[in-house]
Amino acid sequence: MRQIGMVPDAHAARTFADYLTSLSIDARLDHQTQGWALWVFDEDRVQQAKIELEQFLSNPEDPRFANAAPPQPPLPPLRKGGLGGVPEPRDEALREPSESPPLDLSVLRRVVTLLLGAGCMAVFIGSNFGEGSSAVVQSMQIAPDGDTTLEHVRRGELWRLFSPIFVHFSFFPHLLFNLLVLFDLGRQVEQRRGPVRYLLLVLVVALFSNLAQFYLGDAGWSYGTGFTVAAGGKFGGMSGVLYGLFGYVWIVARREPELGFVLTPGTVILMVGWLFACILLPEAMGPVANVAHGIGLFVGLLAGYATSLLHAVRHPP
């Protein structure tokens, strides 16, 4: 979803939004201090919508704009009280002032996020609430206990490269933390980038973070032996993907603020604090896939830079 511009008054904004609807361009209005911001969901049609907006602002009385708008219902009565009253808003699309762009909370615009969360819950319950030796966990880890060569993946069980993201070994804090962050960051990416691009990002981050954790997760250093690397597949969790989403949103919010990605201070403190706590306090935090966190964050940052650079090339100012 991308903001294409501002319209000064509500009537003109509603007229132009109706015109975009007649062109099958899904748009939304958001009331801000400067006027009404126009947001277009389909990024492939952003350029077309911008051109139409320029033409509308230059000649709003053009019949093609007015003829596209459906008949408006009469305004509702004023509220009682005060010095007269305040009229009710005519349409849900005309929103009250806000600091951030609107999030469409319809199920269709967060279906991938809901499915990811439901998958985590289903695996947690089906694995006897995170029992590591259960058949469900063994079938979804990248490598069952004792496999250090990805033998099962080489035999064709390719789902193991991605399925560890659904495995959680405790409800609190492991699964609960991941679900909260997933619904905060995931729904933003899904709405603004679309379900296909969002799912592709999740899969790419999952692939690299899972492989890195498998090959480097048991690495260690000691005075006697120096740095050693040992492969191990006993890990799971969505957090590698979540740090990927965190890095992606962080970069895109800075480079493309018109998209409206929002990182609240609470989310930043939670993600950064958890990352360093797991690294610096391993005894208190228990077994944690720190490599998956770090690689996921790195891949997310790269993906954010790549998509913003690609957009700058395709749509120069």
Side-chain angles (χ1 to χ4, degrees):
M1 186 173 71
R2 190 176 296 273
Q3 183 177 331
I4 62 170
M6 301 287 297
V7 178
D9 66 86
H11 177 72
R14 179 70 272 169
T15 298
F16 183 71
D18 290 334
Y19 173 70
L20 290 182
T21 300
S22 72
L23 300 179
S24 300
I25 298 177
D26 191 5
R28 193 173 185 89
L29 297 172
D30 184 35
H31 191 192
Q32 299 180 358
T33 55
Q34 308 92 331
W36 294 89
L38 278 153
W39 297 82
V40 171
F41 288 102
D42 188 350
E43 291 200 27
D44 294 331
R45 306 196 67 181
V46 165
Q47 198 61 29
Q48 177 188 358
K50 285 184 177 180
I51 295 173
E52 296 288 353
L53 179 59
E54 291 176 2
Q55 296 175 357
F56 174 77
L57 293 175
S58 64
N59 185 17
E61 303 301 325
D62 190 322
R64 68 191 177 102
F65 299 116
N67 294 340
Q72 294 287 350
L75 289 174
L78 297 178
R79 294 175 183 167
K80 296 180 179 180
L83 299 176
V86 179
E88 295 282 355
R90 183 184 302 199
D91 194 291
E92 290 184 358
L94 301 181
R95 299 167 54 86
E96 293 301 314
S98 62
E99 296 180 357
S100 61
L103 274 176
D104 187 349
L105 300 182
S106 64
V107 173
L108 292 179
R109 294 215 173 261
R110 50 178 175 162
V111 63
V112 175
T113 301
L114 291 173
L115 289 175
L116 290 173
C120 292
M121 286 295 300
V123 171
F124 182 68
I125 296 172
S127 63
N128 194 23
F129 305 102
E131 177 59 50
S133 60
S134 68
V136 173
V137 170
Q138 291 296 309
S139 68
M140 300 194 74
Q141 286 187 317
I142 192 169
D145 292 343
D147 178 11
T148 59
T149 62
L150 291 184
E151 176 185 355
H152 291 74
V153 174
R154 298 175 192 275
R155 291 197 315 228
E157 299 179 9
L158 299 181
W159 71 84
R160 291 181 180 273
L161 296 172
F162 308 96
S163 57
I165 67 175
F166 295 103
V167 175
H168 294 81
F169 299 107
S170 67
F171 180 77
F172 181 82
H174 197 200
L175 178 57
L176 180 60
F177 169 85
N178 286 351
L179 289 178
L180 290 175
V181 178
L182 175 65
F183 283 100
D184 177 25
L185 299 179
R187 68 192 179 104
Q188 291 192 58
V189 179
E190 183 171 11
Q191 176 179 328
R192 290 169 169 83
R193 288 305 195 194
V196 175
R197 295 177 186 177
Y198 169 51
L199 182 59
L200 179 61
L201 176 63
V202 169
L203 292 176
V204 169
V205 175
L207 176 64
F208 282 97
S209 61
N210 286 339
L211 284 174
Q213 182 65 38
F214 174 76
Y215 284 113
L216 302 175
D218 290 337
W221 185 88
S222 65
Y223 290 103
T225 60
F227 185 76
T228 59
V229 177
K234 192 174 182 179
F235 65 89
M238 185 69 71
S239 50
V241 168
L242 299 181
Y243 276 101
L245 296 178
F246 177 65
Y248 180 85
V249 172
W250 187 0
I251 294 299
V252 177
R254 293 174 61 88
R255 295 178 62 88
E256 298 182 80
E258 69 275 11
L259 282 177
F261 281 105
V262 176
L263 275 180
T264 64
T267 299
V268 174
I269 293 172
L270 180 64
M271 297 297 287
V272 176
W274 184 268
L275 179 67
F276 282 99
C278 292
I279 295 174
L280 301 176
L281 304 172
E283 295 183 0
M285 303 303 294
V288 179
N290 287 318
V291 175
H293 295 175
I295 296 299
L297 178 60
F298 180 71
V299 173
L301 292 171
L302 284 182
Y305 271 115
T307 55
S308 62
L309 288 175
L310 179 61
H311 181 267
V313 171
R314 295 176 57 186
H315 304 284

